[in-house]
């Protein structure tokens, strides 16, 4: 069965600085999708970024980028120029090519210090 | 205005009582999911449905039941057999057959036991 691990339960970053959240996963499949979701205090789940495993190029969305290392099964999220609004729980998630089930990691709580 | 509506936002259950959480969507998405989130933990899959009149158990289906009589609706019943129902429940949808496999989430229902 696929598993997703986030080894950092909590992280903090100074406003305007850069922070990297770690995620590793375990799968025997070669084609899949990886996601980072953000859950602010409102508890609304918001998609931050998405990566397709067959694409070697790392995904980027404005201040958010990933470092996707397929061989190492690693998928870290880098947040540049951190803002107070980035404070939230961040969940790494995996789904196979068929997308029938998402597997979520336990989450990393990010605090942004003014 | 397209989206996913979960109701109620807060729900209280008495001992031995069944309660039903509502999830309605007007995104015309085929797949619908129910997740449970406990404090400080990731999301765990309860049930999912790919098409009308069909659904499958997730990882923690015991004590829960669902129906999918309409494409737009996927209600979740928390039965008296679920001994620890206090949690935050999230409904999600997914457009099947699209290259973008992301999940869209509702705003959640917080269930507590009286």
């Amino acid at each position: 069965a696929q598993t997703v691990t986030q080894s950092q339960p909590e992280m903090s970053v100074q406003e305007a600085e850069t922070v990297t959240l770690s995620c590793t996963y375990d799968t025997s499949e070669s084609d899949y999708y990886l996601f980072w979701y953000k859950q602010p205090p409102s508890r609304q789940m918001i998609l931050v970024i998405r990566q397709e495993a067959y694409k070697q190029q790392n995904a980027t969305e404005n201040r958010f980028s990933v470092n996707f290392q397929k061989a190492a099964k690693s998928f870290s999220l880098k947040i540049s120029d951190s803002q107070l609004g980035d404070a939230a729980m961040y969940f790494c998630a995996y789904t196979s090519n068929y997308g029938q089930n998402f597997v979520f990691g336990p989450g990393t709580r990010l605090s942004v210090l003014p | 205005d397209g989206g996913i509506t979960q109701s109620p936002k807060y729900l209280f259950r008495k001992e031995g009582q069944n309660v039903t959480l509502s999830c309605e969507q007007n995104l015309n998405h085929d797949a619908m999911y129910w997740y449970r989130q406990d404090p400080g933990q990731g999301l765990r899959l309860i049930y999912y449905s790919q098409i009308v009149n069909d659904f499958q158990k997730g990882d923690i289906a015991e004590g829960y039941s669902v129906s999918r009589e309409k494409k737009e609706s996927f209600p979740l019943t928390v039965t008296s057999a679920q001994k620890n129902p206090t949690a935050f429940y999230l409904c999600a949808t997914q457009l099947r057959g699209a290259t973008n496999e992301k999940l869209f989430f509702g705003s959640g229902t917080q269930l507590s036991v009286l």
Side-chain angles (χ1 to χ4, degrees), chain B residues 76-103:
Chain B
L76 173 73
T77 296
V78 184
T79 74
S80 57
Q82 173 49 247
K83 298 306 180 187
N84 184 24
T86 297
F88 186 61
Y89 291 86
L90 282 162
C91 177
T93 69
Q94 186 183 42
L95 179 61
R96 300 299 300 157
T99 56
N100 187 346
E101 297 286 350
K102 68 179 182 181
L103 290 177

Side-chain angles (χ1 to χ4, degrees), chain A residues 39-55:
Chain A
Q39 188 180 43
S42 68
R43 296 200 285 186
Q44 176 70 51
M45 293 286 283
I46 302 165
L47 178 67
V48 175
I49 201 163
R50 171 182 177 274
Q51 175 79 42
E52 296 159 341
Y54 66 87
K55 289 186 177 179

Side-chain angles (χ1 to χ4, degrees), chain A residues 2-109:
Chain A
Q2 292 85 7
T3 58
V4 176
T5 303
Q6 294 178 251
S7 59
Q8 307 151 317
E10 296 185 359
M11 293 278 287
S12 63
V13 62
Q14 209 72 35
E15 196 175 4
E17 296 296 310
T18 296
V19 65
T20 298
L21 308 184
S22 301
C23 172
T24 58
Y25 57 95
D26 186 25
T27 183
S28 58
E29 299 181 10
S30 60
D31 199 9
Y32 48 87
Y33 299 90
L34 296 164
F35 304 80
W36 278 98
Y37 277 89
K38 168 185 176 180
Q39 188 180 43
S42 68
R43 296 200 285 186
Q44 176 70 51
M45 293 286 283
I46 302 165
L47 178 67
V48 175
I49 201 163
R50 171 182 177 274
Q51 175 79 42
E52 296 159 341
Y54 66 87
K55 289 186 177 179
Q56 294 190 2
Q57 186 174 5
N58 289 325
T60 61
E61 288 287 342
N62 301 315
R63 297 182 296 108
F64 299 87
S65 63
V66 298
N67 184 2
F68 174 49
Q69 300 290 326
K70 191 172 184 179
K73 296 180 182 175
S74 171
F75 183 61
S76 61
L77 175 69
K78 185 171 82 171
I79 306 174
S80 304
D81 186 25
S82 297
Q83 301 174 0
L84 295 177
D86 295 333
M89 282 287 288
Y90 286 81
F91 293 99
C92 179
Y94 162 100
T95 188
S96 69
N97 187 38
Y98 299 100
Q100 290 190 5
N101 186 15
F102 277 63
V103 179
F104 287 84
T108 296
R109 182 175 301 280

Side-chain angles (χ1 to χ4, degrees), chain B:
Chain B
D1 189 23
I4 304 166
T5 302
Q6 287 189 245
S7 63
K9 191 173 180 66
Y10 298 95
L11 186 58
F12 298 91
R13 194 191 89 167
K14 296 180 181 178
E15 290 289 335
Q17 186 181 44
N18 292 352
V19 293
T20 297
L21 285 61
S22 171
C23 179
E24 302 280 333
Q25 57 108 351
N26 60 7
L27 300 172
N28 200 33
H29 286 176
D30 299 290
M32 298 187 73
Y33 301 78
W34 276 106
Y35 286 92
R36 170 178 171 143
Q37 184 179 21
D38 291 283
Q41 297 188 29
L43 280 64
R44 293 184 291 169
L45 182 65
I46 305 173
Y47 269 99
Y48 65 100
S49 169
Q50 302 292 328
I51 57 173
V52 175
N53 292 323
D54 187 49
F55 48 83
Q56 286 77 41
K57 293 182 179 180
D59 301 320
I60 55 166
E62 186 175 351
Y64 300 96
S65 66
V66 294
S67 63
R68 186 88 186 274
E69 298 176 1
K70 299 185 301 181
K71 187 176 184 178
E72 299 80 16
S73 178
F74 191 42
L76 173 73
T77 296
V78 184
T79 74
S80 57
Q82 173 49 247
K83 298 306 180 187
N84 184 24
T86 297
F88 186 61
Y89 291 86
L90 282 162
C91 177
T93 69
Q94 186 183 42
L95 179 61
R96 300 299 300 157
T99 56
N100 187 346
E101 297 286 350
K102 68 179 182 181
L103 290 177
F104 293 77
F105 285 90
S107 56
T109 293
Q110 174 65 51
L111 175 62
S112 302
V113 177
L114 289 176

